[in-house]
């Protein structure tokens, strides 16, 4: 028996271990298939033992290397099949397929003692020499695929990190929005409560303003109605005396016809005066009833001359009822032919009353300063300006400081001392004229000299 060392088997062990290292590194077998990785690590052991035995026994077998390669490559193929869902594994499997097929056919022919025809043998050898090129081409392709997959995985991880970051930011934003919403809801509730309280207070202040206005109006009406009632009483007393004289004259035996006629004329004149002043008193009472009656908002044709004159005198006598020492000059310049204005008379009357009260208040305060030669004067003028009717109320009182002139129509703003005004009179007047009647209410003033309010209403 010839001495023999199986060099082909050693070469086969080297090829298998290189292939194993290639598969393990390229496909990350230790992480993906730990058990199969341990199996691949020991593929060299059976071949080494076989080599040692054959070397000791000087046993020559030309098929050991091919058999070992088939078994080892089979184990590698099985590993690749386990990783078939991984694209580089499928590529390596495709690269090993021709090698395994060529080796399998070669072993089968050798075991069976068959030989291919010369043309086929040449072709088979050509394909066998190309197997290595094909395999290494597939290795490079698998390597490229792995790099692409790693990049995709990194991209997916980055996208996942970004998604998680966005999700965390969204969660934080939702938390902040929820906190802000809760805070805003609480603030809204507090504001609603404050608004309700403000509306209640405003209603009370408006009612106080109305009651104060009504008190001033009532005082003015009482003073104004006292004059016609005094005339009625006086003329009634005189008429009673005339009737008594007439009865005495008629009871005399000799009657004086001329005296009777004179007494009758005087009596008729007194009755006329009684009727005239009675109508005046009735007119004042009707005006008082209209003012005290809640406004229905119904617009009617209104004579602003008569309305302004009536409320001017009511405001003046209302102030004189409080201060008997107060006197002022009332100047009226009413347009003789003034168009009737479609308006809610009680509301416009309330505006005029407020302006007149302010005017008398201003001249009274200036009078109290004790200026030499000062004569309190309130002037009311009406005229037609284009398609509007204009009412001007001017006084020569204390005037309004320029710093606060723009605030006089603001709710609750007043130049009067605490307790003498609520600051709602001009605000309500402005709303009645501008919002209720589509007109304007403006003011001009010079501190220490005059104040003039101007009302314009369309007709």
């Amino acid at each position: 028996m010839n001495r023999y060392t199986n060099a082909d088997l050693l070469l086969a062990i080297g090829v298998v271990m290189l292939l194993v290292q290639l598969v393990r590194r390229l496909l990350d077998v230790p992480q993906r298939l730990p058990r199969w990785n341990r199996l691949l690590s020991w593929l060299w052991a059976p071949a080494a033992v076989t080599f040692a035995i054959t070397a000791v026994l000087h046993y020559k077998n030309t098929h050991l290397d091919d058999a070992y390669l088939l078994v080892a490559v089979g184990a590698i193929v099985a590993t690749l099949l386990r990783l078939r869902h991984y694209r580089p594994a499928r590529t390596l499997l495709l690269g090993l397929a021709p090698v395994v097929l060529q080796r399998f056919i070669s072993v089968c022919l050798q075991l069976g003692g068959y030989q291919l025809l010369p043309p086929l043998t040449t072709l088979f050898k050509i394909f066998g020499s190309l197997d290595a090129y094909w395999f290494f081409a597939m290795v490079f392709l698998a390597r490229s695929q792995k790099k692409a997959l790693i990049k995709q995985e990194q991209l997916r991880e980055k996208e996942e990190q970004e998604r998680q970051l966005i999700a965390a930011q969204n969660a934080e934003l939702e938390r902040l929005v929820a906190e802000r919403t809760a805070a805003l809801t609480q603030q809204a509730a507090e504001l609603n409560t404050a608004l309700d309280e403000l509306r209640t207070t405003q209603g009370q202040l408006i009612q106080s303003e109305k009651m104060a206005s009504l008190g001033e109006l009532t005082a003015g009406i009482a003073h104004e109605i006292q004059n016609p009632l005094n005339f009625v009483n006086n003329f009634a007393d005189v008429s009673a005396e005339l009737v008594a004289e007439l009865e005495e004259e008629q009871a005399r035996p000799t009657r004086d016809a001329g005296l009777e006629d004179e007494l009758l004329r005087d009596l008729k004149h007194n009755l006329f005066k009684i009727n005239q002043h009675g109508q005046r008193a009735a007119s004042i009472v009707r005006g008082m009833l209209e003012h005290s009656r809640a406004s229905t908002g119904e617009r009617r044709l209104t004579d602003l001359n008569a309305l302004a004159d009536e409320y001017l005198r009511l405001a003046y006598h209302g102030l004189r009822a409080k201060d008997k020492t107060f006197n002022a000059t009332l100047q009226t310049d009413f347009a003789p032919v003034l168009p009737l204005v479609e308006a809610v008379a009680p509301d416009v009357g309330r505006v005029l009353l407020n302006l007149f009260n302010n005017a008398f208040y201003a001249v009274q305060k200036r009078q109290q300063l004790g200026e030499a030669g000062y004569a309190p004067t309130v002037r009311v003028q009406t005229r037609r300006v284009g398609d509007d009717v204009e009412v001007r109320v001017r006084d020569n009182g204390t005037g309004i400081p320029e710093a606060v002139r723009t605030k006089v129509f603001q709710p609750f703003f007043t130049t009067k001392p605490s307790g003498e005004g609520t600051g709602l009179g001009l605000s309500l007047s402005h709303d009645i004229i501008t919002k209720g009647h589509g007109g304007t209410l403006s003011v001009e003033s010079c501190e220490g000299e005059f104040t003039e309010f101007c009302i314009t209403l369309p007709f």
Side-chain angles (χ1 to χ4, degrees), residues 11-31:
L11 180 61
I13 293 174
V15 171
V16 168
M17 295 312 298
L18 288 175
L19 187 59
V20 166
Q21 290 299 320
L22 177 64
V23 170
R24 291 173 65 187
R25 292 175 62 86
L26 189 59
L27 303 182
D28 300 323
V29 176
Q31 292 79 26

Side-chain angles (χ1 to χ4, degrees), residues 268 330 398:
K268 185 177 180 180
L330 306 183
T398 55

Side-chain angles (χ1 to χ4, degrees), residues 36-312:
W36 286 83
N37 178 61
R38 289 192 293 270
L39 175 63
L40 294 177
S41 300
W42 289 94
L43 278 180
W44 61 271
V49 172
T50 303
F51 173 78
I53 294 173
T54 55
V56 171
L57 299 178
H58 301 283
Y59 178 72
K60 182 180 180 181
N61 190 333
T62 58
H63 304 299
L64 283 177
D65 56 338
D66 290 333
Y68 171 69
L69 284 174
L70 284 177
V71 172
V73 171
I76 294 173
V77 169
T79 303
L80 296 178
L81 290 174
R82 292 294 300 271
L83 296 173
R84 60 184 177 275
H85 61 281
Y86 190 43
R87 186 181 301 173
R90 295 196 298 269
T91 302
L92 286 181
L93 191 61
L94 182 63
L96 285 174
V99 176
V100 173
L101 182 61
Q102 194 267 344
R103 285 290 180 179
F104 179 74
I105 295 174
S106 177
V107 170
C108 290
L109 291 175
Q110 290 179 6
L111 290 175
Y114 300 107
Q115 289 185 355
L116 295 174
L117 295 175
L120 292 178
T121 301
T122 303
L123 185 62
F124 191 73
K125 288 181 179 180
I126 292 174
F127 278 115
S129 61
L130 293 176
D131 288 345
Y133 297 105
W134 169 261
F135 175 73
F136 284 111
M138 292 298 102
V139 168
F140 284 115
L141 178 59
R143 184 185 180 89
S144 300
Q145 291 175 343
K146 180 180 180 180
K147 290 182 179 179
L149 289 174
I150 289 174
K151 289 182 180 180
Q152 292 178 3
E153 184 66 23
Q154 291 175 347
L155 182 61
R156 280 196 297 268
E157 289 178 357
K158 183 178 179 181
E159 291 176 352
E160 180 64 20
Q161 291 176 354
E162 292 176 353
R163 188 191 66 78
Q164 292 178 356
L165 179 61
I166 292 173
Q169 292 176 347
N170 289 337
E172 180 66 15
L173 287 176
E174 290 177 358
R175 184 185 65 79
L176 293 176
V177 168
E179 291 179 356
R180 185 60 177 167
T181 301
L184 290 176
T185 302
Q186 183 178 359
Q187 291 178 0
E190 293 175 355
L191 288 176
N192 286 332
T193 302
L195 181 60
D196 292 340
E197 294 177 355
L198 180 61
R199 285 174 176 171
T200 302
T201 305
Q202 184 181 15
Q204 294 173 351
L205 289 173
I206 291 174
Q207 185 64 26
S208 299
E209 182 77 15
K210 288 182 178 179
M211 293 303 294
S213 176
L214 183 60
E216 294 175 356
L217 179 62
T218 303
I221 289 173
H223 191 278
E224 184 75 9
I225 205 173
Q226 188 65 41
N227 289 331
L229 288 178
N230 288 336
F231 278 110
V232 169
N233 291 333
N234 292 335
F235 281 113
D237 292 339
V238 173
S239 297
E241 293 176 359
L242 291 175
V243 170
E245 289 182 12
L246 183 59
E247 288 176 348
E248 289 178 1
E249 186 64 28
Q250 289 177 344
R252 291 176 181 177
T254 304
R255 299 170 58 181
D256 187 349
L259 180 59
E260 289 182 357
D261 290 340
E262 183 180 353
L263 291 173
L264 287 173
R265 282 195 303 272
D266 290 341
L267 183 60
K268 185 177 180 180
H269 175 73
N270 287 350
L271 290 175
F272 174 75
K273 288 295 184 180
I274 289 173
N275 180 68
Q276 183 181 7
H277 290 287
Q279 292 293 333
R280 172 61 180 163
S283 174
I284 294 172
V285 171
R286 283 196 301 271
M288 181 180 64
L289 292 175
E290 288 182 0
H291 188 275
S292 62
R293 188 181 300 116
S295 175
T296 60
E298 180 182 355
R299 297 193 178 191
R300 292 181 293 179
L301 293 177
T302 303
D303 184 356
L304 288 183
N305 284 340
L307 196 67
D309 184 65
E310 179 180 359
Y311 280 94
L312 174 65

